[in-house]
Every structure is written in C-alpha cells, then in structure tokens.
Amino acid sequence: MKIAILSNGTGNYSTKRLVEVARARGHEVEVVKYRDCYASIEKSNPTVSYRGEDLGQYDAVIPRIAAYMTRYGTAIVRQLEMQGVYSVSSSLAIVRSRDKLRSMQVLAKAGVGIPKTVVSRNSTDIDDLIDKLGGTPVIIKLARGTHGNGVVLAESKKAAKSVLQAFYLTNEDGTNVLLQEFIKESAGTDIRAFVVGGRVVASMQRKSLDDDFRSNLHKGGEGTPIKLTDEERKTAVKAAKALGLNIAGVDLMRSERGPLVLEVNASPGFGVEKVTGRDVATAVIEYVEMNAKRRNKKDKVGA
Ligand code: ADP
C-alpha cells in the first residue's frame, strides 16, 4: 500500500515508529508535511499537492495534526477525503476532539462519564456556577489549551472570579472557557488509554513529579504502566467511538463515581510504547491495512 503520514515533525518518535513499522510490513510510506501541502478547490476536481506530487494516489493517510495547526491540517485531510483517499482519522472527528466544550457535550450525550462542567460568558453568576459544581476548588480551563497550559486550579470563589475575568479579557467568545469540578481523589494523576479500532492497546498512568495538580508529561509528569479495569477500558473505547476517532488517546481520571474522561486526543503520542513496552505503531498500521482495503473496495468517492 502507499501510505502518507501527515506530520510536520518528521523526526519525532511517533512518526519514526509509523514509518519503521509500515516499511517493515512492505508498504511504501512517505512523511508529508501538511503545512507545505496545498489544496486546489475546483468543481468536481479537488486535489492536494505536496512538492509537485498529487496526494490523491495514496491508498491511505495517517493524520498527525498538531493542535496549533488544526484548521489548516484538517482542511488538507478533508480535501483528501473528498478525493476518496482513506484517512484513518476523519477531519470531522479531529476538529471535534480539538474543542473541549464540544467534546464534553458529545461525550456526555453518549453516556460517557466526565467531570461536571459548566460554561458561561461572564463571571456575574460565579456563585451559582460554583455551587453547580459542588463548591470550590474548581478547575478553569481554556477550551483549546494543550499540554496543561491554560488549566488553572482556583481554590476560592474570589480566585475563580479573577481568573475567569482574566480569561474572558482575551476570549470575547465565552465558549473558550470551561469551569469544571475538581476531581480531588486523583489530583496529580491521570490515565492515558491508547485506543485503536475499538480496543485499548496500551495504557499508562501519569503522575506529576511535584505538587502540580496537572499530570501532563510535558509538564514533567512521569508515566508508569497500569492495568485498566473493565469499566475504564469500556469508557475509553466508548469515548473514542463517540467522537468518531479510530485512533485516540483517551485521558481519564479515577473518581469516586467511576472513570471520568478529561480529553480525547486525535493525534496521541507514541511515548506510551516506551512506558509499557506495547507495540502501538504496529496496531495502528494493522488497522490501516484492514480498513483502507475495505473502504477502497467499497467506495472511492465521498468524505
Ligand atoms: P490539556 O489538554 O491542556 O492537557 P487537560 O484537560 O487534559 O488539559 O488537563 C491537564 C491536566 O490537569 C490533566 O492531565 C489532569 O492531571 C489535570 N486536570 C484537568 N482537569 C481536572 C479536573 N477536573 N480535576 C482534577 N484535575 C484535572
């Protein structure tokens, strides 16, 4: 098969692993920097080009779109879908997962446990909002933050109010700010479940190394392998499915009322391989092999 990995980070671990595994399994594979792709939008003839080459000839693409380039990256994926190229993650699912408010709404509707969340355009009703969440402390987060940046723990109503006011200053659109109940039972730890095609293929627990309540590895958190309970596994799979993601990194927290999903990542890093010894890259390529063939046989057009 001809596989394109859409990634701007040609040298990063996840990209390198995908290339290595795909080559070993006999595929022709190229890393395509989507930031250098261009789309030609024309009646009945959508094309995507990269260094003069038409990407429509690929059998499958694996998008690894960075959060900061979601709009451009997903526009390229969408155009490829319109050309009939199989994309393991759909442009729609990637866009959906990048917005925390939208994801929370979709997950809640699908019956997936999430921390209680409220959204408001101003801080005048702060007392009521905090009461709805069961009191302080509360978490305040930007809907499009990544790596734990833009996630704040407010210990008191006063603190919450001033943080909210500061966030609203730079976010006229109130949908960018979420208030969330603080899950204190597992402060400083969370679980990353790597889901491929409706199965958890690897999972790890992340712990912050200092007294930070955020456990993100980018913030200095540490990962250890963890065995999930049945309920946690089912929750992770259900969350990925609700957002329409075949490949997903589902972040969840253990709480007194069961697993709660914080976020579903559309381009999860493969660092979990180093922590768990599981071969995630092979699971991804196997999934692509099975599904690209099936879809290409069935239907060449449409997105
Ligand atoms: P990001 O997408 O920026 O990583 P997250 O929503 O995943 O943002 O939050 C970052 C970290 O903050 C999580 O990994 C978790 O450790 C902590 N955290 C987030 N939400 C809560 C919450 N409601 N209660 C307790 N801790 C939280």
Side-chain angles (χ1 to χ4, degrees), residues 269-290:
F270 289 20
V272 66
E273 286 193 335
K274 296 183 196 165
V275 174
T276 62
R278 294 290 174 96
D279 185 347
V280 170
T282 296
V284 171
I285 298 296
E286 276 177 356
Y287 183 84
V288 171
E289 287 167 358
M290 275 174 52

Side-chain angles (χ1 to χ4, degrees), residues 230-245:
D230 269 358
E231 193 190 6
E232 286 161 353
R233 213 172 295 119
K234 279 186 193 143
T235 301
V237 168
K238 199 168 171 183
K241 189 162 175 237
L243 291 173
L245 286 169

Side-chain angles (χ1 to χ4, degrees), residues 100 115 139 141 145-149 151 180-184 187-190 206 213-216 251 253 262-263:
K100 287 189 185 151
I139 293 279
K141 52 175 91 166
T146 53
H147 307 325
N149 299 314
V151 181
Q180 215 164 56
E181 81 179 293
F182 177 54
I183 310 301
K184 58 178 177 310
T189 52
D190 74 357
R206 299 177 300 190
F213 69 97
R214 294 165 299 182
S215 46
N216 303 54
D251 293 344
M253 291 189 104
L262 290 180
E263 184 172 40

